[in-house]
Amino acid sequence: MTTEALGAAVEELLRPVIGTALSGGAGGAAALEPLVREVLGALAEGAARRGGPVAAASPADLAGGVADTFGAARGTEALGRLTELLAHGSADPADPACAAHLHCPPLAVAVAADLAVSALNPSQDSWDQAPAATVLETLLLEEMADLVGYDPAEAAGVLTSGGTESNLMGLMLARDRVLGAATGRQIELTGVPRAGAGGSLGSAAGARPRILASAAAHFSVQRAAALLGLGEDAVIPVAVDSQLRMKTGALTAALERCVERGQLPVAIVATAGTTDTGAIDPLRECAELAARYGAWLHVDAAYGGGALLSDRLAPLLDGIELADSVSLDWHKLGWQPAAAGIFLVRKSETYASLARRAVYLNPADDEEAGYPSLLGLSLRTTRRADAFKIAVTLRTLGREGLGRLVDACHELAVAGARAVAARPRLELHGEAGAGEPVLTAFLFRYVPGGAGASADADAVRADEVNAALRRRLLREGGAVVGRTELPGEGPGRVRLKLTLLNPHTTVREVERLLDAVVAAGTAEEGA
């Protein structure tokens, strides 16, 4: 078959297939334009049909509707029908009554920038797939390093899928540097030494590695320890105070016990913004203890890193610049569509164990000729240009503009906590005078009326009513409120949570949300 015949055959194959236009190239924008208009219309229709923060439906009813539409949507109508379905069946973080999680309503400018990335589809694993995006990510990371307090000329980093990946990277580098120095082995090559029969490492150091993190730290710390071959039991939970901040004295005692038992403190994980209360561990004290005991300090600032954008709140993160590594998530207090995680290290040489070379992606002679590669900075190979939307947002709003959004959400949370305290049937978590939100989240609960047979019975009843009222609000489509449990044992620990990330929400809207919680609690008591 001739070349002309082969070309004609390919054209014939594609002619009857709809939707094969591409988003790139000179004609990409024209192909996208009518489809984007259709998506925008379907988003509006789905949101109008939802009519609130979440669709009023049971999980089974919602699943049935999704299955029916998915089965019926075909051909040219698939995009519109499925987009409307997604909008109708989504929890909308832009709705004032959707306030459960660290799930932000993204800025329109960031979403528009993300569309450009999706259309062009650059991949950050080699320069020749993403020339401009490679440079932009490098420049953005220099700005982020400076924001944290690192020297941009000495720091290094990468865009990640979020805090879980960033925490894994921080603990991987901690394992390789600290355990490697203690054992005289290159851990990323030889692996973690196996424990001997007596429970100690079969190495010259003879010390079992340990990671110390607060009892309120993110669960990804345990997950990372498991993935890194250290085991979840390597993570030592450190006691927290009533506001869920790690106690410096408890951390000191835990480190001393490690040494007494012949264990090796590989890393201290300090949290700057716990998911439940936004609590910030004493970062400077953690840094001092890490230096004293030869441990790596990783600061999980996935949530609290947003405070660095605010002149008023940035001092809460005093000492973060002393950390060996830091996690930031701009899809929380940065109003970016997910994913927008950032991982940074203070010293670029500590990144050595992650360095990789693949001859088809980053050959040495290309880099020597001035073609840089980001491959050796990430755990991933194919990787979206997520830096672009953050760069556009920063250049559009500036740190000051984003800081105003942070301050607005913080003030809203303070007002919301005071509104809880003013409602007799609601109880704010925290000691008297200490319940004011650190960032933009706070805990509370509905207090059922009447007294039961015992304090334990009352605690059990309170837990059951609070859990049920939250499900009632979801089922009726009235609100999306978070649920968690305080550290400890026994009943009475269930709490509701508001995480306020919409800077356009008003205090009155938060008050109406709290009134809905009270009404749902009253209804559950009578059910």
Side-chain angles (χ1 to χ4, degrees):
M1 185 179 290
T2 64
T3 301
E4 292 77 8
L6 281 171
V10 170
E11 290 180 11
E12 185 60 31
L13 281 171
L14 294 179
R15 187 172 293 115
V17 183
I18 62 169
T20 61
L22 302 179
S23 62
L32 274 173
E33 186 176 2
L35 300 174
V36 170
R37 284 200 302 268
E38 183 176 5
V39 165
L40 295 176
L43 286 173
E45 291 172 10
R49 188 158 65 91
R50 185 182 65 241
V54 67
S58 69
D61 289 342
L62 181 66
V66 170
D68 289 344
T69 302
F70 179 66
R74 290 288 188 275
T76 56
E77 67 173 14
L79 176 63
R81 289 193 64 179
L82 292 178
T83 301
E84 181 182 346
L85 168 73
L86 181 65
H88 171 261
S90 290
D92 182 6
D95 191 290
C98 186
H101 301 287
L102 286 165
H103 177 201
C104 74
L107 292 163
V109 67
V111 173
D114 213 30
L115 172 63
V117 170
S118 293
L120 295 168
N121 206 30
S123 180
Q124 300 294 88
D125 50 319
S126 66
W127 186 93
D128 58 0
Q129 296 178 82
T134 296
V135 180
L136 276 172
E137 178 167 323
T138 303
L139 293 172
L140 176 71
L141 288 167
E142 289 175 358
E143 290 197 8
M144 293 297 99
D146 185 62
L147 182 69
V148 166
Y150 288 168
D151 180 349
E154 295 184 355
V158 74
L159 271 287
T160 71
S161 59
T164 296
E165 182 184 348
S166 295
N167 290 344
L168 173 63
M169 293 179 71
L171 291 175
M172 176 182 174
L173 295 178
R175 179 200 67 178
D176 296 346
R177 299 285 294 187
V178 179
L179 186 56
T183 61
R185 301 172 64 165
Q186 197 168 346
I187 303 299
E188 68 272 20
L189 296 182
T190 64
V192 177
R194 291 186 298 174
S200 63
L201 282 175
S203 69
R208 291 188 67 88
R210 290 290 182 259
I211 297 167
L212 296 95
S214 88
H218 196 263
F219 67 87
S220 61
V221 175
Q222 280 81 4
R223 177 178 287 177
L227 290 171
L228 293 171
L230 304 175
E232 292 193 22
D233 288 344
V235 180
I236 298 175
V238 179
V240 295
D241 63 18
S242 62
Q243 294 304 301
L244 308 188
R245 296 170 298 206
M246 183 158 55
K247 294 181 178 180
T248 305
L251 176 59
T252 303
L255 286 163
E256 290 174 351
R257 284 194 298 272
C258 283
V259 174
E260 290 168 1
R261 295 169 181 171
Q263 299 168 345
L264 178 67
V266 167
I268 296 171
V269 178
T271 305
T274 58
T275 54
D276 285 344
T277 65
I280 298 172
D281 290 336
L283 304 182
R284 188 166 292 277
E285 290 87 344
C286 289
E288 292 170 356
L289 287 168
R292 185 187 308 170
Y293 286 88
W296 178 283
L297 177 62
H298 175 71
V299 174
D300 178 2
Y303 176 20
L308 295 170
L309 298 167
S310 162
D311 288 339
R312 174 153 46 95
L313 298 180
L316 292 171
L317 272 66
D318 174 58
I320 193 172
E321 71 280 1
L322 303 174
D324 294 291
S325 58
V326 172
S327 306
L328 303 171
D329 274 7
W330 295 128
H331 51 251
K332 293 182 173 69
L333 269 181
W335 296 278
Q336 301 296 300
I342 291 175
F343 174 71
L344 295 168
V345 295
R346 182 163 47 90
K347 300 292 184 181
S348 59
E349 60 266 25
T350 62
Y351 230 112
S353 62
L354 268 171
R356 289 294 179 272
R357 188 170 302 286
V359 293
Y360 71 100
L361 291 173
N362 62 340
D365 56 325
D366 270 5
E367 293 193 349
E368 291 166 2
Y371 293 82
S373 167
L374 306 181
L375 179 67
L377 297 172
S378 178
L379 294 177
R380 292 178 286 163
T381 305
T382 301
R383 186 165 59 82
R384 292 183 86 249
D386 288 318
F388 181 72
K389 60 198 173 193
I390 306 174
V392 169
T393 301
L394 278 171
R395 286 299 177 268
T396 302
L397 280 75
R399 176 180 176 271
E400 180 183 0
L402 285 167
R404 287 177 180 270
L405 300 185
V406 174
D407 288 342
C409 290
H410 176 249
E411 290 173 4
L412 187 67
V414 170
R418 291 174 181 171
V420 167
R423 284 161 170 73
R425 300 306 296 273
L426 299 181
E427 176 185 87
L428 186 66
H429 170 69
E431 300 169 352
E436 187 167 289
V438 178
L439 297 173
T440 68
F442 58 88
L443 302 182
F444 66 104
R445 67 174 174 173
Y446 175 85
V447 181
S454 67
D456 277 353
D458 287 344
V460 169
R461 182 164 175 257
D463 285 351
E464 292 174 346
V465 170
N466 278 275
L469 77 82
R470 175 181 169 274
R471 290 190 292 269
R472 175 184 286 269
L473 290 169
L474 285 172
R475 187 169 62 250
E476 295 176 350
V480 185
V481 176
R483 172 203 168 155
T484 190
E485 294 184 14
L486 300 178
E489 301 292 335
R493 296 182 296 115
V494 171
R495 293 294 183 274
L496 303 176
K497 176 173 65 171
L498 293 190
T499 307
L500 300 170
L501 296 180
N502 183 344
H504 299 295
T505 297
T506 66
V507 173
R508 182 66 194 117
E509 287 169 331
V510 175
E511 291 174 339
R512 284 198 291 267
L513 173 55
L514 294 173
D515 290 339
V517 170
V518 173
T522 303
E524 283 301 324
E525 283 195 82

